[in-house]
Amino acid sequence: MKTTHETDSETNTSAVMAGRTITLDELATELSAVELRVRQLARAAEVPATPVELADVIDSLRSTASTVREHADRMGLLARIVDGDVPLAATFPTGDPWGVAARASDRIDFGGPAIVPTVWQLIKLAQDAKRPGAAKTTTYPEAMDGLGIGWESKAASARRRRERDAAVAREVLTLTCEKCEATEGEQCKTKTGWAADKAHVGRQRQAEANVDARLGYLGDNPVGVPDAR
């Protein structure tokens, strides 16, 4: 299900990933290809077929390419990290654990248990492991052993939530409201007949139940999400 901002071209990821997931190595390579393409466009824009000064566009394209290159380099480093090639500090500077060791912990400094670390946390852990006198080190495969089943990124989870909310909004308009008797296609109404943007609780609740049953949700949580890892 697409959100209002997504297009068919955007949701079709077959050109950049062979299966349901993409490796960090593949991501780095794809980003590198994008960076090269943007730089080529910037160079080509130096000789437009029509006399238009494109200096600002060219500068912007080259700046964008530099940003994409930074992402590509970062993904390349992360690919090595997740493969276990790069030693990582076993804990954060505060002594807080991460990965499997962070289960059941209550860390406040980093916004909660870093069971699934962020990009910047992993880079920091790699930097800390290189410092003279560094404490015990580990690798990503060792620290994450046993995790990953049923995990879904925050971005994917947020997208699913938006999709669910949009589906509920559509579902509401297919139901008859027992409170105000609004029928299919009609918004709920106040006692004086004014159309309301928010549905009555009973109609809203039924719409949520219908959608959650179709999508596989239990309350606010997705259950059995097909492409969650």
Side-chain angles (χ1 to χ4, degrees), residues 44-55 57-58:
E46 293 179 358
V47 286
T50 306
V52 179
E53 181 52 66
L54 300 176
V57 173
I58 293 169

Side-chain angles (χ1 to χ4, degrees), residues 10 22 27 30 37-38 41 67-69 83 90 101 107 111 119 121 127 140 156-157 179 193 195 200 217-219 222:
E10 180 182 351
I22 187 169
L27 191 55
E30 292 290 344
R37 184 70 167 174
V38 173
L41 286 171
T67 299
V68 174
R69 165 57 68 180
D83 281 347
R107 294 191 314 109
V119 171
Q121 285 175 334
Q127 293 171 342
Y140 182 89
S157 179
K179 184 79 171 180
H200 282 107
Y217 271 75
L218 180 60

Side-chain angles (χ1 to χ4, degrees), residues 57-139:
V57 173
I58 293 169
D59 288 344
S60 179
L61 287 172
R62 287 176 174 153
S63 176
T64 298
S66 295
T67 299
V68 174
R69 165 57 68 180
E70 291 176 3
H71 288 307
D73 290 344
R74 197 169 295 127
M75 292 304 104
L77 172 59
L78 285 173
R80 293 188 57 207
I81 288 175
V82 300
D83 281 347
D85 296 340
V86 180
L88 303 172
T91 61
F92 289 104
T94 56
D96 293 311
W98 61 279
V100 172
R103 280 178 166 165
S105 64
D106 182 20
R107 294 191 314 109
I108 297 176
D109 294 342
F110 289 83
I115 295 175
V116 177
T118 66
V119 171
W120 295 111
Q121 285 175 334
L122 285 173
I123 291 176
K124 180 68 166 61
L125 290 166
Q127 293 171 342
D128 288 346
K130 292 181 180 179
R131 300 187 190 283
K136 180 182 177 182
T137 63
T138 185
T139 64

Side-chain angles (χ1 to χ4, degrees), residues 9 12-18 22 30:
S9 296
N12 181 7
T13 59
S14 59
V16 295
M17 50 194 289
I22 187 169
E30 292 290 344

